[in-house]
Amino acid sequence: MEVQDEVTFSNKSGYSIEWGYSTWSKNEPQDQKDWSIRNRYSNQYGGFNIRGSSEVPWEDFKLMIFESLKRNHFEKQDLAAMLKGISDCLLKNY
């Protein structure tokens, strides 16, 4: 992955979420590269946990969220937190 953005968490050592241009489109022109997200876990050798660090295409990730919402797989408190985050994001952009 060609990482463009990353967030780390002080309470989760070695864990981060990364966004960037996908590994599978690395040889494509910039405007044709696929965007992806990765759940990253560093291991003792500096690599990634193969069970938890796979790259997911952005379109697939969005579909996973929408389908999880439709099937009521989120707890109400999670939905409330997401709604607040969405609201905050929308307010920043206007």
Side-chain angles (χ1 to χ4, degrees):
M1 173 187 272
E2 189 180 326
V3 176
Q4 301 295 305
D5 191 13
E6 175 184 23
V7 63
T8 58
F9 303 90
S10 60
N11 63 335
K12 293 186 177 196
S13 178
Y15 173 69
S16 64
I17 299 172
E18 298 174 333
W19 296 264
Y21 297 110
S22 67
T23 302
W24 58 86
S25 65
K26 68 180 176 183
N27 295 322
E28 299 293 329
Q30 189 72 19
D31 64 340
Q32 294 178 19
K33 290 184 178 188
D34 289 332
W35 193 251
S36 65
I37 186 169
R38 177 168 59 195
N39 200 25
R40 176 182 170 168
Y41 289 91
S42 298
N43 66 26
Q44 66 189 24
Y45 306 107
F48 305 112
N49 174 335
I50 60 170
R51 291 171 189 81
S53 297
S54 62
E55 245 176 286
V56 178
W58 190 247
E59 292 304 313
D60 293 354
F61 177 70
K62 291 189 301 185
L63 186 59
M64 285 187 248
I65 293 169
F66 291 136
E67 290 301 321
S68 296
L69 286 165
K70 286 178 8 185
R71 289 168 172 73
N72 296 314
H73 290 301
F74 286 101
E75 299 291 328
K76 287 189 182 207
Q77 61 267 26
D78 295 329
L79 292 170
M82 284 191 263
L83 278 173
K84 180 170 181 349
I86 290 167
S87 176
D88 291 349
C89 183
L90 288 172
L91 290 172
K92 284 183 194 174
N93 292 324
Y94 292 105

